[in-house]
């Protein structure tokens, strides 16, 4: 055999340089595409950012570690498409900082869960999972009934705006009011939320308690928004074949 | 032991090449380390590992040529096989769909009652229906359709909105109080404007309705019921299947029919939501599920096999 490595090991600095070169190749292959990500990942025209209430829910999702057991990425495998719907596109999480794809599925994938279950079911399931799914091993989150702290929402929107999420001045200014308005379908602010974030935003009293804005409101609003921020993924099945019905949002 | 890292200066090393003494018994090099006369064999790396490593290198070379591999700025090397994981997944899904097509397509339209009596077809389709039910319906209605408070039992003979597979399919398609424009709409309004004493009387009357007992027309709640509730729930609370108003005289309950639960229903109202499935499931899958759900409600031995 070649004694290249044998001889290289005898020259310590040479070995160090060789290690750095070898490791860099792996690094470059992973990092280089990120420099052109703005051109390679096309943002769909209809992609909307999360509303302030959904954003607050997203922070609760992260705080409670939901991502540790639930992924938010339908993989490009036939069985996943069959069960969950169209596979996740990179553009879907373009406004997520950080993205919450996850990789561990102790529970089911949530990328397409928006609209699948009723708010009432989500509320019961989060407070006591076994009251609706007896075999569930998900922990209970009874403290989600406490009031939602909207104090930091403005800063969160500002931060995301700096990272390129299209929150404008009006959205940032009205973030706290919009968070409350999204849970009051009959309130005055509901139309303003729709005007800012689009007609498809779900405006409901998510936790069934109209008198208070709770963490449950925020988390359910977030869960109900998953997979609904853009229609782009639902067109991939449509484009390739008209006779595949699964998970298609546009029959 | 020497402090130097220069192999040529190590004990027993050739001062020119740095090669070290060969152990006369094993024929291996020694490492040059010397612990008071004990030296260390420089045992060669196992050949099989070297070969395995070489094979993985070889595989990666082949893979670079055949499969998508290297990033090139705005593009990447596509590989001569031209494979795309997304397309493969959709192709795989099409194969899955085609496998089911021969029997599933028979559910896309036609008379559900007639399909339901086709024993061969039903036997073929029910395992898939069960999986669809578990994936989509069981979260609320329970794995066996036994429901729970707020989520109707499907595995009994009591129905709302329709008691045949066609009516059930309609409910699955558009949902109840869902976001869909064609959703079935039903709401039990709140009676919080009513005096508490009246509500208590009403709750007492409603709680007594189920069962084969006589109609308690003399109870104070009876008149209140006729005045406020009978419009939807029918005279004597027999319900209105087509309007989604539950019968209050049978044993089936959604939220509960004891006094305190009825009081809660009267004060807060009820507006249960079932999502629309038309965007998630195909027409054939919905019809298949409707038949599955209908069969859940049949007495064992009659509908079920």
């Amino acid at each position: 055999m070649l004694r290249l490595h044998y001889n290289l090991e005898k020259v310590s600095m040479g070995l160090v340089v060789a290690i750095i070169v070898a490791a860099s190749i792996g690094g470059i292959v992973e990092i280089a595409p990120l420099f052109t990500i703005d051109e390679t990942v096309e943002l769909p025209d209809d992609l909307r950012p999360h509303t302030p209430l959904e954003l607050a829910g997203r922070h609760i999702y992260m705080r409670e570690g939901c991502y540790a057991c639930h992924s938010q990425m339908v993989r490009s495998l036939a069985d996943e498409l069959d069960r969950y719907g169209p596979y996740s596109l990179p553009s879907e999480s373009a406004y997520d900082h950080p993205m919450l794809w996850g990789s561990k599925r102790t529970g089911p994938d949530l990328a397409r869960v928006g609209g699948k279950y009723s708010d009432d079911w989500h509320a019961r399931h989060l407070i006591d999972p076994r009251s609706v799914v007896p075999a569930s091993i998900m922990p209970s989150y009874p403290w989600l009934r406490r009031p939602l702290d909207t104090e930091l929402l403005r800063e969160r929107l500002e931060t995301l705006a700096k990272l390129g999420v299209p929150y404008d001045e009006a959205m940032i200014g009205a973030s706290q009011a919009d968070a409350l308005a999204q849970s009051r379908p009959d309130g005055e602010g509901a139309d303003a939320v729709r005007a800012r974030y689009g007609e498809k935003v779900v405006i409901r009293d998510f936790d069934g308690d109209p008198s208070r804005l709770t963490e449950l409101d925020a988390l359910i609003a977030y869960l109900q928004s998953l997979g609904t921020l853009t229609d782009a993924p639902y067109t991939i099945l449509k484009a390739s074949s008209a006779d595949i019905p699964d998970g298609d949002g546009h029959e | 032991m020497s402090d130097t890292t220069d192999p040529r200066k190590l004990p027993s090393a050739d001062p020119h090449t740095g090669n070290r003494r060969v152990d006369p018994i094993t024929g291996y090099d020694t490492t040059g380390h010397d612990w008071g006369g004990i030296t260390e064999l420089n045992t060669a790396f196992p050949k099989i590992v070297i070969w395995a490593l070489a094979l993985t290198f070889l595989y990666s070379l082949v893979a670079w040529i055949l499969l998508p591999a290297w990033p090139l700025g705005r593009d990447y090397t596509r590989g001569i096989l031209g494979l795309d994981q997304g397309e493969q997944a959709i192709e795989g899904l099409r194969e899955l769909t085609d496998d089911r097509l021969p029997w599933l397509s028979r559910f896309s339209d036609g008379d559900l009652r007639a399909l339901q009596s086709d024993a061969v077809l039903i036997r073929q389709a029910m395992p898939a229906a069960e999986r669809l039910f578990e994936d989509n319906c069981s979260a609320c209605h329970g794995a066996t359709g036994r429901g729970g408070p707020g989520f109707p039992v499907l595995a009994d003979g009591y129905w709302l909105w329709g008691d045949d597979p066609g009516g059930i399919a309609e409910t699955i398609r558009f949902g109840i109080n869902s976001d869909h424009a064609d959703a079935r709409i039903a709401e039990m309004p709140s009676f919080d404007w009513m005096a508490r004493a009246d509500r208590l009387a009403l709750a007492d009357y409603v709680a007594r309705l189920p069962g084969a007992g006589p109609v308690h027309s003399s109870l104070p709640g009876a008149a209140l019921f006729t005045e406020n509730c009978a419009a939807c729930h029918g005279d004597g609370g027999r319900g209105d299947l087509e309007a989604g108003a539950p019968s209050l005289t049978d044993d089936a309950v959604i939220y509960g029919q004891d006094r305190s639960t009825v009081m809660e229903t009267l004060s807060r109202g009820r507006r249960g939501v079932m999502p629309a499935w038309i965007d998630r499931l195909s027409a054939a899958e919905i019809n298949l599920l409707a038949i599955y759900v209908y069969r859940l409600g049949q007495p064992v031995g009659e509908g079920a096999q």
Side-chain angles (χ1 to χ4, degrees):
Chain A
M1 290 286 285
L2 287 172
R3 307 202 91 197
L4 178 68
H5 207 282
Y6 186 86
N7 291 324
L8 187 61
E9 280 177 22
K10 292 177 190 167
V11 189
S12 54
M13 284 322 287
L15 186 64
V16 166
V17 170
I19 289 172
I20 290 173
V21 169
S24 304
I25 295 173
I28 287 167
V29 168
E30 289 198 353
I31 295 165
L34 299 181
F35 290 111
T36 55
I37 198 162
D38 289 337
E39 291 122 78
T40 49
V41 176
E42 243 175 81
L43 290 193
D45 294 335
D46 65 340
L47 180 66
R48 73 164 173 91
H50 282 296
T51 64
L53 187 63
E54 292 159 6
L55 201 61
R58 206 179 109 85
H59 276 267
I60 295 166
Y61 186 95
M62 291 191 274
R63 182 190 74 195
E64 303 297 352
C66 305
Y67 55 81
C69 292
H70 291 284
S71 59
Q72 282 185 27
M73 188 174 64
V74 182
R75 302 182 192 119
S76 45
L77 299 168
D79 296 321
E80 300 242 327
L81 269 63
D82 194 26
R83 175 172 178 188
Y84 294 116
Y87 56 79
S88 294
L89 300 179
S91 54
E92 282 183 85
S93 39
Y95 294 156
D96 284 358
H97 298 284
M99 57 75 190
L100 295 174
W101 297 338
S103 59
K104 190 163 183 292
R105 283 185 185 164
T106 302
D109 186 87
L110 299 180
R112 305 275 173 252
V113 86
K116 186 172 184 186
Y117 305 118
S118 65
D119 297 337
D120 186 32
W121 181 85
H122 277 298
R124 286 166 194 251
H125 183 248
L126 287 164
I127 299 297
D128 179 9
R130 271 149 303 281
S131 70
V132 282
V133 185
S136 172
I137 56 165
M138 185 170 119
S140 306
Y141 297 90
W143 52 85
L144 294 178
R145 287 252 181 239
R146 66 191 174 196
L148 178 70
D149 183 3
T150 55
E151 197 75 4
L152 288 173
L153 270 179
R154 193 193 164 87
E155 279 86 345
R156 283 183 181 151
L157 262 73
E158 278 173 349
T159 309
L160 288 171
K162 277 185 191 146
L163 292 169
V165 182
Y167 289 121
D168 58 30
E169 286 298 317
M171 288 167 164
I172 293 169
S175 51
Q176 273 178 284
D178 281 351
L180 184 64
Q182 199 184 343
S183 73
R184 304 259 160 99
D186 303 323
E188 289 171 5
D191 290 334
V193 175
R194 279 200 198 89
R196 276 190 270 274
Y197 295 93
E199 286 298 315
K200 286 170 74 184
V201 170
V202 177
I203 298 180
R204 280 197 300 251
D205 170 31
F206 296 96
D207 69 348
D209 180 357
S211 61
R212 297 189 313 143
L213 181 64
T214 63
E215 296 192 338
L216 208 50
D217 276 314
L219 187 52
I220 297 173
Y222 174 63
L223 291 170
Q224 297 289 29
S225 78
L226 292 178
T228 69
L229 299 186
T230 166
D231 286 340
Y234 301 96
T235 60
I236 53 178
L237 296 183
K238 205 75 181 168
S240 65
S241 161
D243 56 21
I244 296 179
D246 302 61
D248 194 304
H250 305 264
E251 298 267 321
Chain B
M1 211 184 140
S2 167
D3 287 338
T4 180
T5 56
D6 183 346
R8 282 167 300 190
K9 291 186 184 152
L10 287 170
S12 81
D14 183 298
H16 297 293
T17 64
N19 289 343
R20 289 176 293 268
R21 194 172 66 81
V22 173
D23 179 63
I25 296 168
T26 58
Y28 289 160
D29 275 351
T30 57
T31 60
H33 300 152
D34 185 334
W35 289 276
I38 300 172
T39 55
E40 186 185 15
L41 291 179
N42 188 16
T43 309
F45 209 55
K47 282 266 183 329
I48 188 168
V49 179
I50 304 270
W51 278 110
L53 199 63
L55 278 175
T56 57
F57 285 163
L58 191 68
Y59 170 77
S60 66
L61 280 172
V62 174
W64 291 348
I65 297 164
L66 295 180
L67 304 174
W70 290 92
L72 305 170
R74 289 167 200 183
D75 204 354
Y76 54 92
T77 58
R78 307 261 163 177
I80 56 176
L81 291 184
L83 294 182
D84 179 291
Q85 225 182 347
E87 286 168 15
Q88 281 180 291
I90 291 171
E91 184 54 39
L93 180 63
R94 187 177 298 124
E95 278 167 28
L96 280 178
T97 315
D98 287 347
D99 278 351
R100 293 175 200 146
L101 210 58
W103 55 266
L104 189 58
S105 61
R106 294 189 51 195
F107 289 90
S108 13
D109 44 22
D111 182 4
L112 296 191
R113 276 197 183 277
L115 285 173
Q116 204 217 336
S117 50
D118 184 340
V120 178
L121 180 66
I122 290 297
R123 200 175 303 122
Q124 194 173 22
M126 278 307 117
E130 190 176 350
R131 207 182 51 244
L132 276 174
F133 186 86
E134 283 171 1
D135 255 4
N136 298 296
C137 319
S138 69
C140 295
H141 292 290
T144 54
R146 295 305 312 175
F151 305 108
V153 181
L154 304 176
D156 61 12
Y158 302 101
W159 298 105
L160 269 180
W161 294 110
D163 55 359
D164 64 327
I168 297 168
E170 182 84 355
T171 307
I172 300 175
R173 215 170 285 133
F174 303 120
I176 300 165
N177 294 327
S178 72
D179 294 334
H180 200 279
D182 296 327
R184 299 183 183 280
I185 303 288
E187 181 169 3
M188 159 90 196
S190 158
F191 284 81
D192 54 356
W193 48 267
M194 193 181 266
R196 185 174 159 79
D198 285 351
R199 270 187 280 148
L200 280 168
L202 203 46
D204 181 59
Y205 177 77
V206 171
R208 284 168 194 255
L209 279 175
V215 182
H216 314 274
S217 53
S218 58
L219 283 169
L224 284 166
F225 189 89
T226 311
E227 206 173 306
N228 296 291
C229 317
C232 295
H233 289 287
D235 287 337
R238 62 181 150 66
D240 183 345
L241 184 74
E242 300 301 319
S247 160
L248 303 175
T249 57
D250 56 27
D251 297 330
V253 294
I254 300 174
Y255 298 94
Q257 208 166 329
D258 54 287
R259 274 178 197 78
S260 66
T261 312
V262 176
M263 273 304 277
E264 195 190 322
T265 303
L266 286 170
S267 340
R268 295 182 45 205
R270 301 285 186 188
R271 194 177 179 275
V273 172
M274 162 146 167
W277 295 87
I278 189 168
D279 291 341
R280 264 175 211 276
L281 304 172
S282 70
E285 285 172 326
I286 287 174
N287 287 338
L288 176 61
L289 270 174
I291 291 177
Y292 179 82
V293 169
Y294 178 74
R295 288 162 56 87
L296 281 179
Q298 297 294 303
V300 180
E302 206 174 296
Q305 318 227 356

